[in-house]
Amino acid sequence: MAGMMVAGFVYSQIYFHQQRRRDLKEIVQEIALTWQEKLHLSVIQTLQLEGIIISYTLRKNEIITANIPRQSKIKRLQIVQAREHQIIKKIMNEDQFAAYAGINRNIPDVTLDPITER
């Protein structure tokens, strides 16, 4: 009986994770297509950007949900964001990245806002 309960729990966690990842992938595809349109990215750049966004969104989420002090979260998120920008810079030309960085500065940081408001 306990084995079945554990198996059910594990299955539900795997399903939930897969569903969340699928939802995330759909959202990221929309975001990447928006960037493709705004920055005139190639198909390859857009696909690379999707992968980067997914990877770094998962990393940021781990930090946000970690049981660590708020200031530590903010510092870690800033480090991760800087790394993300370094990677994105490698797949874009100078003009594309300058436009990306400029637009990004004007978007509210929904990652940090909930943390800094506490």
Side-chain angles (χ1 to χ4, degrees), residues 38-96:
K38 289 181 183 283
L39 305 175
H40 308 290
L41 300 177
S42 70
V43 172
I44 291 172
Q45 287 174 306
T46 305
L47 292 172
Q48 290 172 326
L49 185 60
E50 277 182 35
I52 293 166
I53 293 171
I54 288 172
S55 174
Y56 280 89
T57 298
L58 293 173
R59 289 179 189 176
K60 291 173 188 175
N61 190 50
E62 285 176 10
I63 294 167
I64 290 168
T65 59
N67 189 18
I68 58 176
R70 185 181 74 196
Q71 289 298 63
S72 294
K73 285 183 184 187
I74 292 170
K75 185 173 182 168
R76 289 181 186 187
L77 286 167
Q78 289 170 334
I79 291 168
V80 168
Q81 179 132 10
R83 287 185 194 149
E84 179 182 24
H85 282 187
Q86 289 172 347
I87 301 296
I88 290 173
K89 191 173 188 176
K90 290 179 182 179
I91 69 165
M92 295 181 182
N93 65 39
E94 283 183 46
D95 292 338
Q96 288 171 328

